[in-house]
Amino acid sequence: MSADLKTINFNAVVNDKKVTLFTIRNSHGLEAKFSNYGQHLIALWVPDKEGNREDVVLGCPSIDDYMDEKAQYLGAFIGRYANRISEAAFFIDNKMYRLQKNNGKNHLHGGYFGFNKKVWEAEQIDDSKIQFNGISMDGDQGYPGNLETRVEYMLTEENALQIDYWARTDKPTHVNFTNHSFFNLTGNTKNNILSHELIINADFYHPVNQNLIPKGLAQKVKGTPFDFRTGKRIGKDILSEHDQIALCKGYDHNFVLGKEPKGKQGLRFAAKVTEPESGRVLDVFTTEPGLQLFTGNYFDGSLKGKYGKGYDPYIGFCLETQHFPNSPNRPDFPKTLLHPDREYRSTTMYRFSTSAVSDKDKSKH
């Protein structure tokens, strides 16, 4: 364990509940640490092509840091609704429900006290698996229904961090969960993520308005900075004059994932990231129809990470599997309404491997 990551720094009492650090690992060197506060993924150690283990997610050295607004989403479980809901309101059966406005006039990531700020009941299933449980009460942040929630994290022997989400409600309500980890495959945030090679399995993306709410119809990625179909460096077009890139100072957009190809478990392939120097490779598979690419555009160096480094723009990237932003107000989007006679189930897998990358390949893009 890094000298900057001490278990004692994650022991606390929050809202009269005990908070501590939990560890899972597999037999191939993967190791993850979670807090039951917000289910934050604090650290994830992954070997490089030489077998050297390093931490590939952004995080902070103490639980107190996660109480800061700047760090509140780092590696967190996001709910009840990931991403934005326009005007912080939606209708169910002709009744309007008003949500917490925590992003200007809009609702973001479940509200001021979303799932990222809740203390969850933890059950360590075995060395490689942990489960978090809790109930979001009727009216929580404006949402209807008592929502019973369970999330299971497992480090598989195929070197994947598998996340299985489950929920059940007693009233119709909207549900859209995700994990908000920022990855940096250089390890220990040695460099930014602009040289990472990224593939996204998407022909379309959603342009956004000034409030970062999808506007109009999905647009083709072809011929735009959003075309990652065959792979390119994340930094290749991140300073483009394209109006959507300029608006967000980089990428903060939802991609419409293709239904094929699928992995061994029947999950759709979402993305692939390769870091040339370390050789680390990340493949993402999911049941979700969308993927939010966020490149940490708004970090300003004031948030200090686990390794004593201030987090600057583009120090990490998010690949947030999700239903589309503002779906409750967009009848043309895949539905997010959960009924009492149904169960919400979703799975996302972040699978790691290594690949030797030649100098010729490095200069390809």
Side-chain angles (χ1 to χ4, degrees):
M1 182 186 296
S2 164
D4 297 320
L5 190 60
K6 299 176 181 178
T7 300
I8 192 173
N9 291 335
F10 290 87
N11 294 336
V13 175
V14 179
N15 298 329
D16 297 323
K17 295 182 179 180
K18 183 179 179 181
V19 172
T20 191
L21 203 60
F22 297 86
T23 301
I24 57 174
R25 55 178 62 88
N26 72 1
S27 65
H28 302 301
L30 265 66
E31 182 175 321
K33 291 189 178 292
F34 292 88
S35 171
N36 58 320
Y37 173 73
Q39 299 182 33
H40 289 271
L41 174 59
I42 308 295
L44 177 59
W45 283 279
V46 176
D48 66 7
K49 63 186 177 183
E50 304 296 334
N52 301 310
R53 294 197 321 152
E54 291 176 299
D55 189 0
V56 299
V57 293
L58 305 193
C60 297
S62 77
I63 194 64
D64 290 340
D65 295 302
Y66 286 92
M67 305 293 179
D68 190 309
E69 183 177 342
K70 295 176 183 177
Q72 65 177 324
Y73 298 130
L74 291 185
F77 171 39
I78 303 297
R80 289 187 187 189
Y81 198 96
N83 221 303
R84 291 171 174 83
I85 296 178
S86 178
E87 304 293 334
F90 53 67
F91 285 88
I92 298 177
D93 296 330
N94 296 319
K95 179 179 179 180
M96 175 181 279
Y97 291 90
R98 297 189 181 276
L99 310 176
Q100 287 279 348
K101 292 182 179 181
N102 65 322
N103 186 239
K105 62 181 181 179
N106 303 308
H107 178 81
L108 173 65
H109 291 334
Y112 283 117
F113 298 100
F115 287 1
N116 60 298
K117 291 184 179 179
K118 295 185 182 298
V119 180
W120 298 83
E121 297 296 325
E123 181 182 358
Q124 185 102 31
I125 306 299
D126 55 38
D127 286 347
S128 65
K129 187 185 303 182
I130 189 167
Q131 185 180 104
F132 295 102
N133 303 276
I135 296 178
S136 173
M137 303 304 290
D138 186 20
D140 186 8
Q141 309 302 293
Y143 289 91
N146 296 295
L147 189 72
E148 184 182 354
T149 301
R150 181 173 71 238
V151 187
E152 184 175 279
Y153 302 88
M154 177 172 62
L155 288 178
T156 74
E157 288 304 297
E158 289 72 40
N159 284 345
L161 172 60
Q162 181 172 320
I163 309 175
D164 292 306
Y165 303 98
W166 175 92
R168 182 170 56 194
T169 182
D170 59 3
K171 291 182 182 179
T173 193
H174 286 284
V175 179
N176 182 31
F177 296 160
T178 197
N179 177 271
H180 206 294
S181 288
F182 287 86
F183 294 94
N184 183 321
L185 301 184
T186 65
N188 298 354
T189 59
K190 289 195 293 292
N191 299 298
N192 63 36
I193 47 88
L194 298 181
S195 65
H196 288 53
E197 302 274 344
L198 172 62
I199 295 172
I200 298 179
N201 178 28
D203 294 329
F204 295 87
Y205 81 102
H206 285 116
V208 295
N209 62 21
Q210 293 288 334
N211 295 314
L212 304 187
I213 303 289
K215 62 178 183 178
L217 300 175
Q219 300 295 310
K220 291 183 177 180
V221 300
K222 184 177 180 180
T224 76
F226 297 88
D227 192 349
F228 288 93
R229 292 174 298 172
T230 59
K232 65 179 178 181
R233 289 183 297 107
I234 291 176
K236 185 175 187 297
D237 297 313
I238 207 165
L239 298 179
S240 164
E241 295 181 356
H242 189 282
D243 61 344
Q244 286 289 303
I245 296 294
L247 174 64
C248 298
K249 301 180 181 180
Y251 296 98
D252 193 4
H253 297 79
N254 179 67
F255 288 76
V256 181
L257 294 176
K259 294 182 180 180
E260 301 291 342
K262 293 185 177 180
K264 293 180 180 179
Q265 293 191 342
L267 306 179
R268 70 177 77 192
F269 168 66
K272 184 185 190 75
V273 189
T274 303
E275 200 288 299
E277 293 298 327
S278 69
R280 291 188 181 93
V281 178
L282 168 61
D283 287 282
V284 184
F285 298 88
T286 187
T287 55
E288 293 297 302
L291 181 76
Q292 185 88 4
L293 170 63
F294 179 43
T295 46
N297 317 329
Y298 310 119
F299 287 126
D300 60 7
S302 61
L303 176 61
K304 191 174 182 180
K306 290 169 288 190
Y307 302 98
K309 184 176 182 179
Y311 286 153
D312 295 317
Y314 318 130
I315 193 64
F317 64 88
C318 292
L319 294 173
E320 301 165 67
T321 58
Q322 62 180 10
H323 270 60
F324 303 163
N326 201 33
S327 288
N329 296 310
R330 291 288 301 263
D332 55 324
F333 283 0
K335 302 296 185 288
T336 57
L337 189 63
L338 179 66
H339 292 274
D341 61 343
R342 299 290 182 91
E343 293 182 345
Y344 173 93
R345 292 182 182 271
S346 178
T347 295
T348 292
M349 182 181 295
Y350 296 98
R351 189 182 68 194
F352 297 92
S353 59
T354 56
S355 175
V357 181
S358 68
D359 290 338
K360 180 179 178 179
D361 290 332
K362 293 177 189 177
S363 61
K364 181 178 178 181
H365 301 283

